[in-house]
Amino acid sequence: MPVESEFKAEQSNEGTRECLKHAATQNVSLSHLRKLPPIDIEFNDLTYTIPYGPRGSKVILRGICGQFKSGELTAILGPSGAGKSTLLNILAGYRVTGAAGHVSINGDARDVESFKKISCYIMQEDLIQPRLTVYEAMQFAVDLKLGNVPKETKLTAIEEILDILRLTRAKDTIAERLSGGERKRLSIALELTNNPPVIFLDEPTSGLDEISATQCIDLLERLARLGRTVICSLHTPSASIFAKFDHIYIVASGQCAYRNSVQNLLPFLQQVGLECPKHYNPADFVIEMSAGEYGAEWITRMVSFVDTEMPIDPISRPATTYPMKRMSKIPWFDQFTTLSRRMLLQLYRNKNYVYLKIGLHIFLGFIIGGLFLDVGNDGTKTLFNFGFCFACLIVFLYVPMLPVLMHFPSEVQLIKREYFNLWYDLSPYYCAFTVVNIPLQVIVSSIYLLMVYVITGQPMELFRFTMFFSVCLLCVFIAESMALAIASTLNIVNGTFVGPAITVPLMLVAVQGLGETQDLPIYRKLIMYLSYIRYGLEGLITALYGFNRGTLYCPPTEILCEFGAPPVLLQTMQMKHAVFWVDFLALIIILVFLKITTYYLLRQRLRPNKTFQALHLIGRLIKSHFNIAT
C-alpha cells in the first residue's frame, strides 16, 4: 500500500537521524546511582468505575489488558474521555479507589507503596516550585531524594541530568522565566534525580509547540534507551512524533483497540478492513476511529481483533527481585532543614510580597491609630478603647487569613506532586512551613502593634504591653491556622467564600452581653466562648484595665466620667470575672487544636482514609445529581 510505504520511509529517515543522535550520546548515563534492574509492567482485566447520577455508575475502563516493557517508549492514545489518563493514574498508583483488576511488576503482584519507590509520575501541569533557579531546584531535589550521598555525587548527578535534558544553559534561570519546553524538561529532570526505572507522564507535549514537543519526545526516547520504562499519554501527536514511539496502546471507550508497535499499526488497520487515507497522519486517523467518527462498529471490530489476534506473551527476562528499594530515606530533621532552606530562599526572593505586607500594616497602623487617637488613658473614652481592641482583633483576623486562602490551595497541588513521588514526609514539610512563617508574621504584626499602641496612648507598662502583644500574636496565628485548614480542603474560589463567611458568626457571638446588667444564660455563654475572638477580647481588655489599674484621668471639662474607674468598665462589658491567664491558655489550646486539625485535613487531602473517601463519594454523587460544576 502506498501510504504504508511512505509512512515506513518516513520512519526509516527519522530512524536514521535518531540513530546518529543516539550514537553521539549513547555513553551518556546517570552514573550517580546504582542502576536498578529493568521493570516490566503487565495488567490484566483492569476496570475502573465511578459513581454517576443518583442511582448508577459509569464504567471508564472495561477489563483491559496490556504490557509495557523496559527500554521502550510507550504512548497511550485515545480520544478525550476514552480513559487514557485514568489508565495512567491507575498504573502509577495515583488512583486506586474504584479500580479492579491485576497489575504485576516483573511477574509479581504490584504493591503500590513499594512501586512508588521505584517510579515517578510527571503530571500534565508543570508544577514547579516558584522563585528558584533550575540549578537551585535540582539541588533541593537531590538533597531531598538522594539521602546520605556525598556532595560530589550530588553535583555530578545534577550536571549529568541537566546535560541529558539540555538544561545546562538555563540552569541560572528562575522557574517563572522558563519557556514551556524548558519547564517540561525541568519537571522531568527533578524526578530523575533518584534514577527511577519507571517514568509515567500525562500528556507531556500538552501546551508545547511542534518543535518543543518533538524535543520533549526525543528526550523521553533517550531516557527509554537508557533502560527505563517510559509510559506517557498523548492526545493528538503529529506524524513525526508518532513515529518515534516503540509501542502504542490505543484506548477506545474504555477498551483496548490496539497494542503493538507503530510499524504494525497500518497493517493492523488493513486487516480490520480500514484504509488510512493518503497523506493522512495515522495517529489522527486511528484516534478518529476510536472516537467513533466512522461508526461505533469499527471500534468493536478493532477490540475484537485485538482480543483474538494479539495475545499478551509472557516477557522473557531473567527474574529480578521485587519490590526493590531505592536510596535510603533521609532523616526527618534533614528533610525539615532542607525544606526550611527552600522556603526561606523563596520568601527572600518574594520581596514584593514582604514589602506589600509591611506597607499594609503601616497603613493600617496609621488608620487605626488615627481613629482611636489618645483613647488609652482618657477615662471618658474607655468605650472607644474597647472598640480599638476589637478593631485590632478584626485586623488580625482578615489580614493573616486572606493571603493564605488565595495562595495555599496552589501550594497544596505542589505538595501532592512531591509527596506522591516520595520527596518528603508530610510532617517535616508542615513543621518547616509553620516555623518559616513565624518570623515574618511576628515582624509585620509588631510593626502595626508598636504604632497603634503608642498612637492610641495605651499604658506604658511593660507587663501590660507584653500581655497585649502576646494575645494579638496568638490571634494572628489562630486566624492563619483557620485559613490553612480551609485552604487544605477547598480550592481558591470556595475557600475565599467560606473563610470570610465563617468569621462573621465568630465576631457576632464574641460580643454578646455587652452593656447588659444581668449575667447571660448558660447557653449563651457556651455559644459565646466557642469564638476565639471572645478570649482575645477578654485578654486585651484585662491586660489594659485589669491587675488593679488605678482611676483614669478625666478632663475637668467633663461633667460625667462614668467609666473612669476600670472595674466599672469590666462590669459593663461582662468581663469582671475574666482571668487573663485563663484566656491566654484557651487561645493556646485553640491554636494547637487548629494546627493539629490542619495537619489532619492536609494528610487526608494527600492520602484520604475510608471516611474521607466516603465523604468524597457522597460529594460526587450530590454534584452529579444536581449537575453542579466542579
Side-chain angles (χ1 to χ4, degrees):
M1 186 174 62
V3 175
E4 182 180 350
S5 302
E6 182 177 337
F7 185 63
K8 287 185 176 181
E10 181 184 356
Q11 285 182 303
S12 177
N13 294 334
E14 194 70 28
T16 302
R17 290 193 295 268
E18 293 304 313
C19 286
L20 292 174
K21 190 185 299 183
H22 290 314
T25 59
Q26 62 182 355
N27 293 325
V28 178
S29 62
L30 298 180
S31 61
H32 61 284
L33 287 179
R34 62 182 178 88
K35 184 178 179 180
L36 293 173
I39 299 296
D40 299 318
I41 302 173
E42 187 173 328
F43 52 96
N44 294 286
D45 198 25
L46 208 59
T47 303
Y48 183 72
T49 306
I50 60 172
Y52 188 77
R55 298 187 186 90
S57 60
K58 182 178 180 180
V59 180
I60 305 298
L61 299 179
R62 303 172 182 272
I64 61 176
C65 305
Q67 192 178 75
F68 300 144
K69 301 178 183 179
S70 63
E72 291 184 350
L73 178 60
T74 300
I76 301 176
L77 300 179
S80 297
K84 56 185 184 298
S85 293
T86 301
L87 173 59
L88 199 69
N89 287 338
I90 294 173
L91 293 179
Y94 186 73
R95 181 176 296 164
V96 293
T97 303
H102 181 74
V103 180
S104 61
I105 309 299
N106 288 352
D108 296 328
R110 180 190 66 173
D111 178 76
V112 175
E113 295 304 317
S114 298
F115 182 66
K116 288 180 184 179
K117 297 177 182 179
I118 59 169
S119 65
C120 69
Y121 187 16
I122 301 168
M123 301 176 191
Q124 182 176 350
E125 295 184 29
D126 300 322
L127 298 175
I128 300 172
Q129 288 291 341
R131 294 177 291 280
L132 296 177
T133 66
V134 171
Y135 196 81
E136 289 167 347
M138 292 295 295
Q139 282 183 314
F140 287 117
V142 296
D143 287 342
L144 287 169
K145 299 178 80 172
L146 292 189
N148 297 323
V149 173
K151 184 177 180 180
E152 295 76 12
T153 304
K154 293 180 179 179
L155 296 178
T156 302
I158 295 173
E159 296 295 337
E160 288 181 348
I161 295 172
L162 294 182
D163 181 61
I164 290 175
L165 300 184
R166 297 204 300 272
L167 286 170
T168 304
R169 292 185 179 180
K171 68 177 184 178
D172 295 323
T173 305
I174 296 291
E176 290 87 336
R177 299 177 184 174
L178 295 173
S179 66
E182 289 172 335
R183 288 177 63 87
K184 184 66 68 176
R185 296 202 299 272
L186 178 57
S187 298
I188 299 172
L190 293 171
E191 301 301 339
L192 286 182
T193 51
N194 55 352
N195 199 17
V198 182
I199 303 174
F200 296 96
L201 304 102
D202 187 12
E203 299 200 17
T205 60
S206 178
L208 302 181
D209 57 57
E210 181 64 22
I211 296 176
S212 298
T214 302
Q215 290 175 345
C216 181
I217 298 302
D218 285 339
L219 294 169
L220 295 179
E221 189 177 10
R222 290 178 65 188
L223 293 174
R225 296 295 176 267
L226 294 174
R228 293 171 182 80
T229 306
V230 182
I231 306 164
C232 57
S233 64
L234 292 177
H235 188 56
T236 53
S238 64
S240 59
I241 289 178
F242 184 65
K244 295 177 184 295
F245 286 91
D246 303 303
H247 185 256
I248 302 297
Y249 194 94
I250 298 174
V251 183
S253 300
Q255 303 173 85
C256 177
Y258 179 77
R259 52 176 185 239
N260 212 306
S261 65
V262 175
Q263 292 84 353
N264 291 330
L265 177 61
L266 293 179
F268 164 80
L269 295 175
Q270 194 174 26
Q271 287 178 299
V272 174
L274 292 167
E275 190 78 18
C276 180
K278 189 177 181 180
H279 303 305
Y280 205 81
N281 180 5
D284 291 340
F285 179 71
V286 77
I287 290 175
E288 290 175 3
M289 292 299 308
S290 303
E293 293 289 329
Y294 302 95
E297 66 275 7
W298 291 109
I299 298 177
T300 304
R301 294 180 67 174
M302 291 171 67
V303 172
S304 300
F305 190 88
V306 168
D307 291 338
T308 57
E309 303 297 330
M310 291 185 174
I312 299 176
D313 299 323
I315 300 174
S316 58
R317 194 184 298 278
T320 56
T321 304
Y322 175 81
M324 294 162 291
K325 295 183 179 180
R326 295 189 305 188
M327 290 287 186
S328 58
K329 202 171 189 178
I330 68 173
W332 188 96
F333 186 75
D334 291 343
Q335 293 183 46
F336 170 78
T337 54
T338 301
L339 291 167
S340 298
R341 286 191 293 108
R342 187 176 75 176
M343 293 175 188
L344 285 172
L345 179 59
Q346 289 174 308
L347 183 62
Y348 174 77
R349 295 263 173 84
N350 198 11
K351 293 181 181 178
N352 290 335
Y353 173 71
V354 175
Y355 294 153
L356 181 62
K357 290 201 73 169
I358 293 174
L360 176 62
H361 282 78
I362 292 175
F363 172 76
L364 290 174
F366 280 118
I367 294 297
I368 302 297
L371 289 175
F372 299 97
L373 183 66
D374 291 330
V375 300
N377 287 313
D378 192 333
T380 62
K381 298 178 180 179
T382 50
L383 291 180
F384 291 99
N385 207 26
F386 176 86
F388 161 70
C389 294
F390 193 64
C392 287
L393 293 178
I394 294 175
V395 168
F396 288 140
L397 172 60
Y398 286 106
V399 173
M401 173 181 283
L402 294 179
V404 174
L405 294 176
M406 294 295 294
H407 166 72
F408 195 68
S410 301
E411 181 77 10
V412 171
Q413 299 302 317
L414 268 170
I415 300 170
K416 288 178 66 176
R417 180 183 69 82
E418 294 177 343
Y419 180 80
F420 178 81
N421 287 320
L422 303 181
W423 285 42
Y424 45 74
D425 295 325
L426 179 59
S427 58
Y429 173 88
Y430 186 67
C431 291
F433 183 85
T434 301
V435 171
V436 168
N437 283 336
I438 290 176
L440 180 61
Q441 289 286 19
V442 171
I443 290 172
V444 296
S445 300
S446 298
I447 292 173
Y448 168 83
L449 288 171
L450 283 170
M451 291 178 62
V452 297
Y453 198 89
V454 173
I455 294 174
T456 58
Q458 303 302 328
M460 292 299 173
E461 300 176 60
L462 181 60
F463 79 97
R464 297 185 188 275
F465 177 83
T466 304
M467 289 190 294
F468 191 90
F469 264 50
S470 301
V471 171
C472 286
L473 289 177
L474 278 176
C475 292
V476 167
F477 292 120
I478 288 175
E480 182 188 56
S481 299
M482 287 174 53
L484 287 172
I486 295 169
S488 298
T489 307
L490 303 176
N491 58 28
I492 294 176
V493 175
N494 294 333
T496 50
F497 168 77
V498 171
I502 289 176
T503 63
V504 175
L506 287 177
M507 291 185 290
L508 292 178
V509 302
V511 293
Q512 289 188 86
L514 299 183
E516 294 188 17
T517 57
Q518 296 181 349
D519 288 341
L520 295 175
I522 186 66
Y523 74 92
R524 290 184 63 184
K525 284 188 177 181
L526 290 175
I527 295 174
M528 180 175 64
Y529 283 107
L530 290 176
S531 172
Y532 84 93
I533 295 178
R534 180 67 186 189
Y535 297 103
L537 199 55
E538 287 186 358
L540 295 182
I541 296 300
T542 307
L544 295 179
Y545 293 103
F547 298 97
N548 299 319
R549 184 177 179 182
T551 303
L552 304 179
Y553 169 77
C554 293
T557 55
E558 295 290 338
I559 299 175
L560 180 64
C561 190
E562 180 181 359
F563 297 106
V568 177
L569 175 68
L570 296 175
Q571 174 75 25
T572 304
M573 295 301 167
Q574 297 279 342
M575 296 182 184
K576 60 180 179 180
H577 300 301
V579 180
F580 175 83
W581 300 112
V582 172
D583 293 319
F584 189 78
L585 180 61
L587 289 174
I588 293 177
I589 293 173
I590 293 172
L591 177 59
V592 173
F593 172 77
L594 286 174
K595 286 294 182 184
I596 295 174
T597 301
T598 302
Y599 177 81
Y600 177 76
L601 293 174
L602 189 57
R603 187 170 189 84
Q604 297 308 315
R605 182 75 180 272
L606 301 180
R607 184 181 294 182
N609 57 23
K610 292 183 179 180
T611 302
F612 273 74
Q613 290 175 3
L615 292 174
H616 181 65
L617 178 61
I618 293 171
R620 291 172 65 177
L621 289 173
I622 294 173
K623 288 179 181 179
S624 62
H625 179 71
F626 293 101
N627 295 319
I628 300 174
T630 55

